[in-house]
Structure formats: structure tokens, C-alpha cells
């Protein structure tokens, strides 16, 4: 009996019959990649059903994997060569019944959880929820001073309080486990409850993840037990639940339901951690006590009973009066589909805190064009001088107060921490003094980690920072020191500081993050010193650690997971993703798949505009972006386009600076007023809160397409100016009349004056000396990633159509052209002059007016 899974030719769970051929090809590719433990990069344009295909392929494999595991258990029983046939047959039958009983029991638990949730919803609608009165609202009696709470965790464990017997951490854990076994008769404990193979589905934002569950509900997934289906047909609250146990993970910011804590906290994470350390009467009311863990387990089952997005999860927590943040964490082991934002998947500390184990699991990262910038951003840490100085004062004060009560090990680590902070503070001040009054180029310096450690002195250079960081993590002494400092401030009658510091991040946490960064591979990281203006008028210094290589952070995910799928609408250039993230893998493990678009070829016009009306080459480099003649000609080009393009037209500029310069020049020359004769004109807002308003007004101004010109010459539609890589270039849907043309002005190359970018390019060039153009390649790839995202705003479904106009002769070069998505690059048209370009556009839009040509 073979246990190898063959790739299916059809996917019955797919909701649309028949699916497009490219969807079947994509799902077959994904299924094969998961079975072969591959890393694959998938490019699937908007409108091709990317999310649906990802879910269908992965969950089909997961269903087949369950059956394979069942067959494997039965095969193991059948392989006993010493047993007789009838014994083997009875053993296999008994195992089959046991497996079915386990599944039935679990499904019944979920069914019961659904009934409870339905009852809670009805109760919530029928009554007015009264806010509970909390005991801690009244001011507690001032008892005797007790500083034991500020001792490190390792010393607290050895301190006898109220006559309690001192026990080791290991013995305490064993006692807790024994207590837990009698806590919930008839239920499996977490340690005993088997985890399952699961799919971790990550995207950049919760709004993107919210689109996953509706797609999941469309799949025609098999139900293992008809009894569950029969039960749910009796309830009108839910449709028949999918057979996939799903949990959505989020931060406390999205899931905390303690409104009082949210209102008074400057840092919700830290305030929550403080409450976790409080005694029973001061604990968060939504977190059940240890002896009431049955409530949390019931809520876990309720979470898994039916898929919930972040908002649904928070609502369910309010109805159950149980914390959805910790409830969702408890649901992870038994979940089959886990949706989560990037940071919770990519950061090792977040995975450990949530109990996420990626071993042999499937990782799907959607919107993966953001992955490399996200990895670099998550590994960046900042440490202002003020935090260094404050931390040093707090640690010294703490050591002075508790030196007689701290163990030798604690004293050793804290003294090392003092040495590190003192040396860092002294060097930062020396660096600042040496650069005061000098030119802008002298206000920034980039150095390797080893160079910084050497400049801090021999004591620090020989120090094991990992040991200190590990101690800070185990002992939680950063929070203890901050708590003690707040108490001292209160004693000195500085009540404002006490109020402001409550629930804020302890300064030592920033130091701890910085120390962790310094322990990474020296060649992969750089520390940047920057002299910046301070609040009091004096200059101050900020330190920033920057990881130049995104691969190490992601390598841990790749090495642990069974399969990794990176998916996006535009992942080109794919070679850049492979070079930056997967160069350490054997080529046989890395695959890719690029979908064509589902739209007919005649529905997309892609033109490179190489020459302007005056016959000169169009090349919008930084040096030309302030030239009045260049801006004037660009205005004339866009005016001609606006005369041809029906309905909505979006123009993307390479930077805010260029857009603002052009806007000022066109206002002065009257060109902006001329634009208004053709289309209502809008500009990308400076503030994010204004984006929705601008988009609504833009959509409202777009009238019926192909409207006959009015006597004033004004045509229907609107013109929207935006910036590549900014608020309107990603995640927005400009379908149909919202974007009948997308114009890209120039190429958005990053600022080479940035010290961080210069260091990264030097690093890449040195890393791949055999490729002399490695740095230039990286520079181009960063530019084209941004361009491709802007391009993807239009042509959103099979019946959509639009023109893509690339204004710069450099788009015709092979290196740039090859970095466009295949569905665009293969049909790219390059015309010699501006006249032929306009004629090409006219033919395209004329064809769209004729229904027979659509």
C-alpha cells in the first residue's frame, strides 16, 4: 500500500465548475509543492482567484494527508509478520473504530460549543449588559512596604512568602500538571491532546486576512460526520460549518476586551503583562483563574467550532466574558488553518510566545511582494540616547537597593549590564561631541557590530551579550526595575511621572532588543549613529541596528516548515526573491509558477512611451524632475491622454517631491486648469485619514464612459495623481471605470544618498563578487517591485480592460522589461514616436466603444 500522494487532476472542493485552466494548473502546482516539501513562489494576478486557489489546493492536500495518516496507522498494524490474518484483521478493524470514535467525540465537542455560542448570542441581544464593578476601582489599603515584588523571577522563586514552602520551578511545574489532570474530568489536557498538521496563512494586514474566511466558506469541503451537518441544519444562525478548524491570531490591540485597561494604557501589551502578575483580586476579569481553566478550554472549542475573523473573535470573547487573545492561543494546537499577520509568523519571539511550532507545517504567505521589506523592517531596532541614560540610572539605583537580597548570579549579570550601558553611554557622548557643529555628511556614521564593540572598550568586547539577554528574558528584571523606579518616583511626590509611566514599555526592553540585534552575524548587520535635534533644542543621538540580509530571519521558517508558499499578484522579478531569500537552498527545492491573466489579450494595452510631442527622449531621472521644460512637456502628454481616456485615469509619480513640483508648475502655467476641462482632478492626500474621502469623490466624479463631449469640451471622468509606493499604490481596487488607464511616470529608484541603502548595496556587491552587477540588480529590483504594485491596481476581473502607459524610454530596455509581470511584458508595445503612440491608444479605446470588439 503506497503512501505517496499523487497530484489530482481535478479539485472537487473548488466552488466554480469548471474552473479556469490556469486555476487548475496553479492548484496542481501548489499540491505538488506541498507533497514534495518544496518552496514555491507563485505569481497570480488579481482576478485569477488566487486566494481561493491557495486555500483549495492546500486544504485538499491536508484532507488527503489525514487519510494517509489513517492508512499509515492501519498499515503499521498490518505489517506485523508474526500475527495471523484474522488477528491482523480484527486489530485493524478495532483501530479503525477507535479513530472514528475519536473524530466523532471531537466533532460533538465542537457541536456543543456551537450551541453554547448561539445561546450566548441570543442572551446578548435580549439583555442590556451591565458593566461589572471591579474590586480594584477602590483605592487599596496602604499596607506595609513589600519590595519582594521587584526581585528578579529567579530570586523570587527562592523567597518564602507567608510561610509557603520553597519549591523548585521543576517541582512546581509537576505539581501544576497534577492539579490540571483533576481540573477537567472527561477532557483531554493540552499535553495529551494531539496537535495536527496545519496551514499557517499569513498576510500583511488584518483587512487582507479578513478576505480569507469568506473564500474558505465558498469551498465545497467534505464533512467527516453527517451528524454534525444534521445538527447544524436545525440552527439558523450559521450555515453548515466548514470541516476546517480555523483560528485567527492577532495582537492585544485587536483582541483585548478589557475596555478599562484599553482606556488608561499607553502600551496595552505591557499593561496586560502587569495584570498577569497581579494577585487574584486584581487580575484581569476576563482571564479565568487557574482552577477555572475549564472555561478557557470551552471557549477554545467555541473558537474552533466555526471560523471567526478578528472582529468575530473579539465579539465572541465579550459574549463569553473570556479573553479572546489568550483563547485564540489555546486554539492553535487543534486548529487546521491559522490566519495571522506577518509579524506573528516571522518573528521568532512572537512564535515562541504564541506556542507556534512550524515543524512539518505548511506556511502560506500572501501578498508576498512585501516580504523582503517586512523582514528587514522587523529586524531593525532603534535605541535613542535618552533610553540608554535612563536605563543606566534605573539599573544602578536598583542594584544599590537590592544588592544584599540578590543572588550572586543576579549580581553578576546586573553588573555586566551596568558595564555595557556605561560604556555605550560614554561612547555615544564622545561621538556626539566629535560631530557637533559639523556638516550634514558628518552627522551620520555607519559601522559594523564588531567595530562598535571594540570602540566600547575591552570589557564590552569580551562580553557574552547572549548570556545577558537570556538573563533579562528569564528573570523579567526589566519590568521589575521599571516598577521599582516608578515606586521611587511616587515616593518623591512625582505623581505625574507615576501616572505617565504606568503601562509603558520599560526602557530596558529597548536595550534588550538592541543587544539581541548585536548578537546576530556581524557581517549581516550595521549600526548607524545619527545626530538629530532634541526636544529641548539640543542635539541628541539615535542608534539604529539594520539587518542587511533578509535571509537569516526567514531561514528559520523555511528550515522548519514542510512547505513554504510565497504568493502575490505581482512577484516579478522572481529571481530577486530567490537570490535574497533562498540562495542557501538546493535549486531542486525552489520552484515558481507564474499565471497568465484571465482577461483576453485584446483587453489590455501596454505601451512604452519613449518620446514626447517635441520628439525628444522621455527620461524622468532625478536631475530632470525640476526642469520646467520637462514638466511642461509632461503636462501636455497627460492632457493628450486625458482627451482620449474615458472615465477614470490614474497617474503615478515616482516621488512626492516630483508630484509637488509638477503640481506647482502646472498651477502657475494654467495646465492644471486645462486638466479640469477634460476630467475632475484629484491628488493623493498627505494624511491617511483623508484617503477614503478622496477615493469616494474620485469615484463619484466618474460619469458614464464614452460620454459625448459637452459644448464646453469637458468629458466625463476623473484624473487621480498618486505616488508609487505610497497610500494609493497597493491594496486598492481600481476596477472597471475607476481605471481605464494607468500611467507610470519615470522609474521610482530609491535615494542613493540614504546611508542604509548604500550599506545594503555594498553588502550585496561584496557578498556576490562573482556577479559584478549584484548591487545594480538589487537597486533595479527594488524599483520594479514598486512599479509592479502600482500597475496591479487596474484590470481586476475577466471582463475588465485598461491601458497601461509607461512614460520613460528605460522601460523599453531588456533589463527593465524582463522585470515586468509576464502577463504584461509579453504583450508590451514600443513605438518610436509620440504620434504613433497616441494613434495606438485611439485604436484601443475606439475598439472598446464597439461591443462587437469587446
Amino acid at each position: 500500500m503506497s503512501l505517496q500522494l499523487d497530484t489530482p487532476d481535478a479539485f472537487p472542493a473548488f466552488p466554480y465548475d469548471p474552473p479556469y485552466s490556469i486555476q487548475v494548473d496553479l492548484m496542481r502546482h501548489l499540491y505538488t509543492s506541498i507533497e514534495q516539501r518544496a518552496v514555491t513562489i507563485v505569481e497570480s494576478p488579481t482576478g485569477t482567484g488566487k486566494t481561493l486557489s491557495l486555500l483549495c489546493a492546500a486544504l485538499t492536500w491536508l484532507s488527503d494527508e489525514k487519510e494517509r495518516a489513517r492508512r499509515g496507522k492501519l498499515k503499521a498494524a498490518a505489517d506485523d509478520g508474526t500475527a495471523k490474518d484474522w488477528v491482523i484483521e480484527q486489530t485493524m478493524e478495532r483501530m479503525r473504530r477507535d479513530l472514528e470514535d475519536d473524530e466523532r467525540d471531537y466533532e460533538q465537542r465542537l457541536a456543543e460549543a456551537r450551541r453554547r455560542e448561539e445561546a450566548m448570542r441570543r442572551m446578548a441581544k435580549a439583555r442590556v449588559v451591565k458593566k461589572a464593578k471591579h474590586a480594584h476601582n477602590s483605592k487599596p489599603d496602604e499596607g506595609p512596604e513589600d519590595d519582594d515584588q521587584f526581585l528578579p523571577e529567579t530570586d523570587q522563586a527562592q523567597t518564602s512568602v507567608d510561610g509557603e514552602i520553597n519549591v523548585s520551578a521543576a517541582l512546581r511545574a509537576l505539581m501544576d500538571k497534577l492539579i490540571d489532570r483533576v481540573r477537567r474530568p472527561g477532557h483531554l489536557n493540552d499535553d495529551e491532546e494531539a496537535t495536527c498538521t496545519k496551514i499557517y496563512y499569513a498576510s500583511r494586514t488584518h483587512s487582507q486576512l479578513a478576505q480569507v474566511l469568506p473564500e474558505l466558506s465558498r469551498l465545497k469541503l467534505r464533512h467527516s460526520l453527517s451528524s454534525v451537518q444534521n445538527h447544524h441544519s436545525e440552527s439558523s444562525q450559521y450555515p453548515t460549518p466548514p470541516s476546517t478548524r480555523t483560528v485567527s491570531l492577532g495582537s492585544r490591540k485587536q483582541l483585548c476586551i478589557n475596555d478599562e485597561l484599553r482606556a488608561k494604557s499607553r502600551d496595552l501589551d505591557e499593561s496586560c503583562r502587569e495584570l498577569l502578575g497581579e494577585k487574584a483580586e486584581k487580575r484581569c476579569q476576563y482571564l479565568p483563574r487557574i482552577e477555572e481553566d475549564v472555561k478557557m478550554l470551552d471557549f477554545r472549542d467555541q473558537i474552533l467550532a466555526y471560523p471567526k475573523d478578528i472582529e468575530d473573535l473579539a465579539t465572541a470573547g465579550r459574549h463569553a466574558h473570556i479573553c479572546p487573545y489568550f483563547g485564540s492561543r489555546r486554539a492553535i494546537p487543534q486548529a487546521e488553518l491559522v490566519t495571522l499577520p506577518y509579524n506573528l509568523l516571522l518573528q521568532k519571539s512572537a512564535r515562541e510566545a504564541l506556542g507556534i511550532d512550524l515543524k512539518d507545517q505548511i506556511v502560506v504567505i500572501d501578498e508576498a511582494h512585501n516580504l523582503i521589506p517586512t523582514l528587514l523592517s522587523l529586524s531593525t531596532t532603534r535605541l535613542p540616547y535618552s533610553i540608554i541614560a535612563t536605563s543606566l540610572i534605573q539599573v544602578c539605583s536598583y542594584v544599590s537597593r537590592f544588592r544584599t537580597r540578590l543572588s550572586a548570579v543576579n549580581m553578576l549579570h546586573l553588573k555586566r549590564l551596568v558595564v555595557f550601558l556605561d560604556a555605550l553611554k560614554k561612547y555615544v557622548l564622545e561621538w556626539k561631541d566629535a560631530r557637533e557643529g559639523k556638516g550634514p555628511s558628518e552627522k551620520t556614521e555607519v559601522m559594523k557590530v564588531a567595530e562598535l564593540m571594540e570602540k566600547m572598550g575591552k570589557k564590552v568586547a569580551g562580553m557574552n551579550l547572549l548570556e545577558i539577554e537570556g538573563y533579562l528574558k528569564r528573570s523579567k528584571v526589566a519590568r521589575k526595575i521599571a516598577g521599582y523606579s516608578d515606586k521611587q518616583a511616587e515616593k518623591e511626590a512625582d505623581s505625574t511621572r507615576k501616572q505617565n509611566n504606568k503601562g509603558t514599555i520599560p526602557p530596558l526592553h529597548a536595550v534588550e532588543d538592541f543587544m539581541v540585534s548585536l548578537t546576530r552575524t556581524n557581517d549581516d548587520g550595521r549600526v548607524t549613529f545619527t545626530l538629530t535635534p532634541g526636544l529641548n533644542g539640543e542635539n541628541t543621538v539615535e542608534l539604529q541596528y539594520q539587518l542587511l540580509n533578509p535571509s537569516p530571519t526567514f531561514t528559520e521558517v523555511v528550515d522548519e516548515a514542510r512547505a513554504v508558499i510565497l504568493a502575490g499578484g505581482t512577484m516579478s522579478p522572481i529571481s530577486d526573491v530567490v537570490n535574497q531569500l533562498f540562495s542557501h537552498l538546493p535549486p531542486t527545492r525552489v520552484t515558481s509558477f507564474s499565471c497568465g491573466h484571465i482577461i483576453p489579450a485584446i483587453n489590455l494595452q501596454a505601451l512604452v512611451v519613449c518620446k514626447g510631442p517635441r520628439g525628444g527622449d522621455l527620461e524622468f531621472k532625478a536631475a530632470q524632475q525640476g526642469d520646467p521644460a520637462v514638466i511642461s512637456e509632461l503636462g501636455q502628454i497627460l492632457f493628450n491622454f486625458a482627451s482620449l481616456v474615458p472615465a477614470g485615469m490614474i497617474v503615478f509619480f515616482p516621488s512626492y517631491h516630483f508630484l509637488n513640483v509638477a503640481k506647482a508648475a502646472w498651477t502657475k502655467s494654467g495646465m492644471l486648469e486645462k486638466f479640469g476641462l477634460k476630467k475632475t482632478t484629484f491628488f493623493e492626500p498627505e494624511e491617511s485619514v483623508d484617503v477614503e474621502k478622496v477615493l469616494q469623490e474620485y469615484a463619484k466624479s466618474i460619469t458614464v464612459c464614452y460620454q459625448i463631449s459637452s459644448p464646453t469640451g469637458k468629458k466625463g471622468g476623473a484624473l487621480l495623481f498618486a505616488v508609487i509606493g505610497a497610500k494609493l499604490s497597493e491594496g486598492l481596487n481600481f476596477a472597471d471605470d475607476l481605471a481605464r488607464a494607468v500611467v507610470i511616470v519615470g522609474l521610482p529608484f530609491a535615494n542613493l544618498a540614504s546611508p542604509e541603502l548604500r550599506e545594503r548595496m555594498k553588502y550585496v556587491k561584496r557578498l556576490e563578487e562573482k556577479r559584478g552587477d549584484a548591487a545594480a540588480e538589487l537597486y533595479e529590483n527594488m524599483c520594479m517591485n514598486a512599479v509592479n504594485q502600482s500597475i496591479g491596481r487596474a484590470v481586476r476581473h475577466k471582463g475588465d480592460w485598461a491601458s497601461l502607459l509607461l512614460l520613460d524610454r528605460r522601460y523599453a530596455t531588456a533589463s527593465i522589461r524582463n522585470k515586468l509581470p509576464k502577463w504584461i511584458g509579453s504583450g508590451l508595445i514600443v513605438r518610436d514616436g509620440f504620434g504613433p503612440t497616441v494613434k495606438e491608444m485611439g485604436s484601443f479605446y475606439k475598439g472598446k466603444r464597439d461591443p462587437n470588439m469587446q
Side-chain angles (χ1 to χ4, degrees), residues 792-842:
R793 296 314 93 217
V795 193
R796 308 292 288 187
H797 58 84
K798 186 178 180 180
D800 207 352
W801 54 268
S803 182
L804 170 63
L805 305 161
L806 305 174
L807 267 64
D808 198 302
R809 69 176 187 84
R810 289 172 290 175
Y811 282 107
T813 62
S815 62
I816 296 294
R817 184 171 182 166
N818 291 337
K819 291 179 173 62
L820 290 167
K822 288 183 180 179
W823 59 277
I824 292 175
S826 58
L828 196 64
I829 299 171
V830 181
R831 291 286 178 251
D832 292 334
F834 186 72
T837 299
V838 172
K839 185 177 179 180
E840 195 81 39
M841 287 178 63

Side-chain angles (χ1 to χ4, degrees), residues 114-129 231 234-238 319:
R114 293 184 192 107
R115 283 194 291 269
R116 287 197 302 270
E117 183 172 0
E118 175 64 14
M120 288 176 185
R121 286 175 178 269
R122 286 197 297 265
M123 290 172 64
K125 289 179 181 179
R127 73 172 188 270
V128 176
V129 180
H231 159 70
E234 300 168 6
S235 172
S236 59
Q237 177 63 37
Y238 298 111
H319 289 164

Side-chain angles (χ1 to χ4, degrees), residues 418-625:
V418 169
V419 170
F420 175 83
L421 288 169
D422 186 53
L424 183 59
K425 178 185 174 184
K426 286 179 179 176
Y427 178 69
V428 169
L429 290 176
E430 289 174 10
W431 185 90
K432 175 177 176 286
D433 292 341
R435 277 156 181 77
E436 289 281 14
K438 294 192 175 181
S441 61
E442 297 291 324
K443 292 185 177 181
T444 301
E445 183 181 3
V446 183
M447 63 187 76
K448 293 182 178 180
V449 173
E451 293 172 345
L452 173 61
M453 299 292 281
E454 185 179 343
K455 289 176 179 179
M456 289 170 63
K458 292 182 179 179
K459 288 184 178 180
V460 174
M463 195 177 286
N464 187 336
L465 296 184
L466 273 176
E467 281 188 4
I468 301 176
E469 186 274 329
Y471 164 74
L472 291 173
K473 192 173 183 179
R474 289 190 310 274
S475 65
K476 299 183 175 133
V477 75
R479 195 172 297 119
K480 308 287 186 177
I481 291 173
Y484 174 71
S485 299
D486 288 346
K487 183 176 179 180
Q488 293 306 108
E490 185 184 25
K491 277 186 177 181
E492 294 167 8
D494 188 358
S495 58
T496 346
R497 180 178 175 187
K498 166 71 177 176
Q499 184 181 0
N500 289 342
N501 284 351
K502 189 68 176 175
T504 59
I505 300 175
L508 265 179
H509 279 344
V511 174
E512 184 179 345
D513 291 340
F514 189 72
M515 293 175 78
V516 172
S517 299
L518 297 183
T519 60
R520 295 192 177 110
T521 308
N522 284 346
D523 284 344
D524 285 347
R526 297 292 183 272
V527 179
T528 303
F529 279 59
T530 306
L531 194 65
T532 60
L535 295 175
N536 56 0
E538 295 183 7
N539 288 330
T540 185
V541 180
E542 181 178 80
L543 280 62
Q544 174 182 296
Y545 175 87
Q546 174 196 11
L547 188 63
L548 304 176
N549 181 6
S551 178
T553 306
F554 197 55
T555 297
E556 298 170 353
V557 174
V558 174
D559 291 347
E560 285 290 311
R562 175 192 180 94
V564 176
I565 299 166
L566 306 187
T570 49
M571 293 298 296
S572 299
I574 289 176
S575 60
D576 179 55
V577 181
V578 176
N579 290 336
Q580 292 203 59
L581 295 180
F582 306 124
S583 58
H584 66 289
L585 294 177
T588 53
R589 196 187 169 198
V590 183
T591 64
S592 65
F593 184 93
S594 186
C595 283
H597 212 298
I598 57 174
I599 63 168
I602 60 170
N603 279 13
L604 175 69
Q605 179 188 60
L607 285 171
V608 177
V609 186
C610 295
K611 293 184 181 294
R614 300 170 187 171
D617 288 339
L618 293 181
E619 194 173 77
F620 297 97
K621 291 184 176 180
Q624 281 82 46
Q625 290 176 10

Side-chain angles (χ1 to χ4, degrees), residues 374-388:
T374 301
L375 287 168
L376 294 172
S377 174
L378 289 175
S379 61
T380 299
T381 56
R382 290 177 171 81
L383 186 63
Y385 169 76
S386 59
I387 294 292
I388 300 171

Side-chain angles (χ1 to χ4, degrees), residues 391-409:
S391 297
L392 180 59
I393 292 171
Q394 288 187 353
V395 176
C396 289
S397 173
Y398 181 85
V399 170
S400 175
R401 168 66 181 84
F402 293 98
R403 70 168 57 248
T404 59
R405 302 184 61 184
L406 293 169
S407 66
V409 173

